Amino acid sequence: MTLAKIISMVDEMKPNQYDSETKTAWMSEVEGMVVEEILNRAEGNEIEFEGYDYDLDAEKTLLVPDRYADLYRNYLYAKVDYANAEYERYNNSVTMFEASYSTFAQHYRRTHMPKQLAMLPPT
């Protein structure tokens, strides 16, 4: 799934007044969390993620596979709801995000070897 596609899907499902640059910044937040908290904790991963720029990265494929793309949608829904001060909707959206994030994290951790921490000699 591309950055432009997920933003388009969110705009269709939850019309909002926020521009693509704002939603791209939000996508950079969640993608950064995925990189640091999930992907880079697996053996062989050292992903350097600097964030997205909509004009340059609109057609870039996102790091989370399409079958877990609800992680992105739910995050953007939560950000829109929070920015609109719709706190009851935000609570529902963030709960859905946390569930989808956890589902992806569990899948990734089951299917990828974690990094081995260096053993320090006893002192």
Side-chain angles (χ1 to χ4, degrees), residues 35-47:
V35 167
E36 292 302 315
E37 296 174 6
I38 302 170
L39 302 180
N40 277 349
R41 294 188 181 188
E43 197 67 44
N45 285 351
E46 289 296 332
I47 300 167

Side-chain angles (χ1 to χ4, degrees), residues 41-55:
R41 294 188 181 188
E43 197 67 44
N45 285 351
E46 289 296 332
I47 300 167
E48 294 287 329
F49 180 72
E50 299 296 325
Y52 293 123
D53 177 310
Y54 189 80
D55 294 330

Side-chain angles (χ1 to χ4, degrees), residues 87-100:
Y87 299 119
E88 191 170 320
R89 286 184 182 186
Y90 166 77
N91 286 331
N92 291 332
S93 295
V94 81
T95 298
M96 294 298 294
F97 163 70
E98 289 170 351
S100 56

